[in-house]
Amino acid sequence: MNGQSVAAPPAVLPDTGLERSPFERRALRSLLLTVGIWVAAVMAGIPLVSVLYMLIVRGGARLGREVFVELPPAGFEMGGGFGNAIVGTVVMVGIAALISIPIGVLSAVFLAELGPDSQLARVARFAAKTLTGLPSILAGVFAYAAVVLTTGTYSAPAGGLALAVLMLPTVVLTAEEAIRAVPKITRDAAFGMGCTRSQVIWKVMLPTATPGILTGVMLAVARAAGETAPLLFTALFSSYWLFEGGRPHLMQPTASLAVLIYNFSGMPFENQIELAWTASLVLVLIVLFINVLSRLVGNRRA
Amino acid sequence: MSPLGVEAVPGTSPISGPPSAWDYFTDRAFRGLARVSVWLILLLLACILWSIGSKATSGIARLGLGFLTSTTWDVGRQQFGVLPQIWGTLYSSLLALLIGGFFGVAMAVFLTQDFLTPRLAQMFRVMVELLAAIPSVVYGLWGLFFVVPAMRPIAGWLYEKLGWIPFFGTTLSGPGLAPAAVVLAIMVLPTVAAVSQDALRLVPYKVKEAAYGMGATRWEAILRVLLPAASTGIFGALVLGFGRALGETMALAMLIGNSNQISLSLFSPANTLAALLALNFPEAGPQEVQVLMYAALVLLGITLVVNLMGEAIMAISSRGAVKR
């Protein structure tokens, strides 16, 4: 770690001035910079440690059965939980996945296999990249204009659509890469057996590419679960259960963990702030769990 | 016609045969479906542009370009202007890029230039990915209860000692620009680190070996050979990080203080376009929605330009690498 990878000359050489001189200014400067970059790297880790520490200490304090089964408390109420927000997050991410995964994977098939060099594919790839950079709040504005203004109510499908817009580019681009990574030999062998193109895709390429596709899908799901901005004015928030009397009431404001954290963090009540921390802990655990899962799935392929 | 007398009649063998009519049909249908989904992506992008653009037209017609240069936002008097928000968006993102960009590039160099054993490198890589995985609303909460209290004494001291410098012209009385920028920097760091790592990896190993062969120290090789060689890609990474910062909403809505003022001071509250949308949309009347759509269009325009620039720079840098 002393910053000198240059091999020293053999000791038998006469003094040619080629030996390493560790106290030369250049060498010292190199050492100093190496120390500096270590400090910078460790400093970059401080926020993560601090966030996780506060989540465990402040969020863990309230973690218990009741936060998963009870409804959010009103103003001065004590206790309560965020069971409906977990259900809401799951339902809305589910809706987003139902929209974005079929479209995403089918498009990826086209981009990777059916017409990789076509004009359409080039434009679509560009569109997907553009969507990647779309600020999440604008996905919310779009869903607001497209669904909320049309149906006249804040609803779970509106939130789901906003999340789908954010998931779609990730799914498309990672799935395309995964399908491209299928060895050409495997594919040609299937064609040699007389498969039609769709058979090759369905029976050979997609099964081979599944781990890679799943990795992308799960990363997109993890990101969507933590998104707040697109839900603020599409799903809004609700203090009631999404399923009442055994059937879902989708066309009404819907709670989500992320919006609950945002709403409660600004309240002047200690109880709500504690719940915001606990909800954050639960949300981070969910997101990290999906992340680890995607890593495991992705590694199995290698 | 085969010498063995076995007739290869199409479609009769149980094992092999040409595709049946059903196979032809499903093949066509599936390929058509795939093509339709690609068109759906284009349609979606068009819909986003159209829905925001068309809803904004009445706002544009009413307020014109004065919207971009006016500084008041008063629903009661129907006066709207987003200059402070544009200023806050650019200023906070630039500050975040200064901090997050420095640490991001440093992290990329740290991870790619053999400073670490593979196991330690893996650990730091996971750390950066975890930083990217934590939802922004959680960072916002952390900022409210950790960064703001931690920064207040520092801000007070800087204001007292160096208050004549415009950057330290006010105290931090709660949320403000500096904590928002710090949290934003943490969110920019993973993007910059990931994209610059790719850029650094594109530099051929020979280039570094040549520098070492000339007797350069490790840091001379990094600063004078590697970073210049990867500079286009790193610049692209910074632009993409900037784009990310411009559109970030929640951490800023929670931390920046929502005050429509233009100030150089790092500790004064400010506002951003994304935060304006997040805070005003839920309670907006039909009149205000039109104006907010206009603001959304402005944000869309700014982020689109910055992101397209970033992508273009990345394209140039990878094309250069192929030529080498």
Side-chain angles (χ1 to χ4, degrees):
Chain A
M1 283 307 134
N2 59 3
Q4 294 285 4
S5 325
V6 184
V12 287
L13 277 181
D15 184 13
T16 52
L18 282 177
E19 285 110 66
R20 248 185 73 194
S21 35
F23 296 108
E24 202 187 339
R25 263 186 60 188
R26 299 165 59 213
L28 283 178
R29 203 172 76 115
S30 197
L31 185 71
L32 204 72
L33 283 167
T34 303
V35 172
I37 204 162
W38 268 92
V39 171
V42 171
M43 267 174 76
I46 292 175
L48 183 69
V49 175
S50 164
V51 168
L52 294 179
Y53 173 79
M54 286 192 78
L55 280 177
I56 293 166
V57 170
R58 297 198 63 165
R62 279 289 291 275
L63 199 61
R65 202 187 70 89
E66 72 279 2
V67 296
F68 294 102
V69 295
E70 282 179 24
L71 289 172
F76 287 97
E77 249 181 292
M78 293 313 287
F82 39 77
N84 65 334
I86 297 178
V87 174
T89 294
V90 171
V91 167
M92 282 190 283
V93 171
I95 294 174
L98 279 182
I99 302 172
S100 62
I101 294 173
I103 298 178
V105 174
L106 279 175
S107 322
V109 165
F110 183 89
L111 295 185
E113 173 63 22
L114 293 176
D117 300 317
S118 62
Q119 198 66 36
L120 178 62
R122 234 164 285 183
V123 178
R125 239 173 254 134
F126 177 75
K129 280 218 175 108
T130 312
L131 281 177
T132 318
L134 185 80
S136 59
I137 185 114
L138 292 182
V141 173
F142 162 67
Y144 179 86
V147 182
V148 176
L149 289 183
T150 323
T151 59
T153 173
Y154 300 104
S155 62
L161 177 69
L163 294 181
V165 172
L166 295 171
M167 284 176 67
L168 187 62
T170 317
V171 174
V172 173
L173 295 174
T174 50
E176 188 197 347
E177 213 139 281
I179 296 172
R180 270 174 194 274
V182 174
K184 200 170 178 307
I185 309 172
T186 322
R187 172 176 162 266
D188 289 348
F191 275 124
M193 304 276 286
C195 287
T196 64
R197 268 195 132 163
S198 312
Q199 284 168 338
V200 173
I201 291 164
W202 272 108
K203 299 189 174 167
V204 178
M205 303 197 68
L206 283 181
T208 320
T210 299
I213 296 174
L214 272 182
T215 306
V217 165
M218 282 199 264
L219 285 179
V221 165
R223 182 178 164 208
E227 281 291 354
T228 317
L231 299 178
L232 278 177
F233 42 85
T234 52
L236 216 66
F237 190 71
S238 149
S239 294
Y240 305 100
W241 290 101
L242 189 59
F243 296 87
E244 200 82 58
R247 59 189 197 85
H249 298 263
L250 290 180
M251 296 314 286
Q252 64 172 19
T254 306
S256 58
L257 273 177
V259 175
L260 177 127
I261 297 167
Y262 172 64
N263 285 349
F264 279 14
S265 71
M267 286 191 180
F269 309 112
E270 195 51 40
N271 183 33
Q272 267 78 353
I273 288 171
E274 278 173 17
L275 275 178
W277 278 105
T278 311
S280 298
L281 179 64
V282 172
L283 182 61
V284 167
L285 285 177
I286 294 174
V287 169
L288 291 190
F289 174 73
I290 304 173
N291 259 302
V292 170
L293 212 64
S294 80
R295 201 176 298 262
L296 290 179
V297 171
N299 279 348
R300 247 186 34 206
R301 174 182 40 160
Chain B
M1 290 296 152
S2 86
L4 293 172
V6 179
E7 289 294 308
V9 181
T12 52
S13 161
I15 300 170
S16 65
S20 64
W22 173 249
D23 288 338
Y24 274 118
F25 172 73
T26 46
D27 184 48
R28 280 282 165 79
F30 176 70
R31 283 156 73 171
L33 209 61
R35 188 176 284 269
V36 167
S37 348
V38 177
W39 277 106
L40 276 178
I41 297 181
L42 301 183
L43 192 71
L44 177 69
L45 187 62
C47 270
I48 291 173
L49 297 179
W50 183 80
S51 69
I52 296 178
S54 70
K55 295 278 191 303
T57 44
S58 53
I60 295 172
R62 196 146 53 90
L63 296 163
L65 284 176
F67 185 60
L68 303 178
T69 53
S70 156
T71 55
T72 47
W73 186 281
D74 190 330
V75 184
R77 287 189 294 159
Q78 291 290 305
Q79 283 185 346
F80 301 102
V82 286
L83 190 62
Q85 282 83 356
I86 295 177
W87 163 259
T89 306
L90 295 176
Y91 195 32
S92 62
S93 301
L94 208 62
L95 285 174
L97 190 67
L98 276 181
I99 310 170
F102 171 75
F103 280 102
V105 174
M107 192 54 105
V109 169
F110 190 59
L111 286 174
T112 52
Q113 300 309 314
D114 312 320
F115 282 95
L116 298 165
T117 57
R119 179 173 284 233
L120 261 178
Q122 184 61 28
M123 214 187 84
F124 274 97
R125 220 164 271 141
V126 169
M127 185 188 95
V128 174
E129 277 169 35
L130 282 183
L131 274 178
I134 290 178
S136 66
V137 70
V138 176
Y139 277 127
L141 189 68
W142 173 73
L144 274 181
F145 290 93
F146 179 79
V147 179
V148 171
M151 207 174 252
R152 204 171 287 152
I154 305 171
W157 186 83
L158 281 171
Y159 170 66
E160 260 170 37
K161 304 286 175 196
L162 300 167
W164 49 273
I165 303 175
F167 296 121
F168 309 125
T170 55
T171 53
L172 186 68
S173 55
L177 198 60
V182 167
V183 172
L184 202 53
I186 298 168
M187 305 172 76
V188 169
L189 189 151
T191 311
V192 175
V195 185
S196 340
Q197 273 187 65
D198 293 342
L200 284 169
R201 289 215 183 88
L202 280 176
V203 179
Y205 203 73
K206 279 184 209 162
V207 173
K208 193 163 63 165
E209 279 177 346
Y212 285 151
M214 305 272 286
T217 63
R218 169 187 269 183
W219 276 97
E220 282 164 353
I222 290 172
L223 292 177
R224 300 204 191 147
V225 178
L226 269 160
L227 286 180
S231 58
T232 319
I234 291 175
F235 184 57
L238 292 176
V239 175
L240 288 179
F242 190 59
R244 168 101 211 266
L246 289 173
E248 174 48 46
T249 313
M250 293 324 294
L252 289 168
M254 292 164 88
L255 290 171
I256 205 160
N258 310 304
S259 147
N260 297 339
Q261 51 172 312
I262 299 177
S263 162
L264 263 180
S265 169
L266 297 177
F267 306 126
S268 75
N271 207 347
T272 71
L273 284 169
L276 173 85
L277 295 175
L279 292 162
N280 292 26
F281 240 114
E283 286 127 34
Q287 288 279 315
E288 205 186 351
V289 164
Q290 294 170 358
V291 182
L292 286 171
M293 286 291 181
Y294 191 0
L297 194 66
V298 173
L299 177 62
L300 183 68
I302 296 176
T303 49
L304 218 56
V305 167
V306 171
N307 280 319
L308 292 184
M309 259 168 56
E311 291 293 345
I313 294 166
M314 291 312 290
I316 291 169
S317 95
S318 57
R319 201 179 309 143
V322 170
K323 267 185 206 147
R324 274 200 295 271

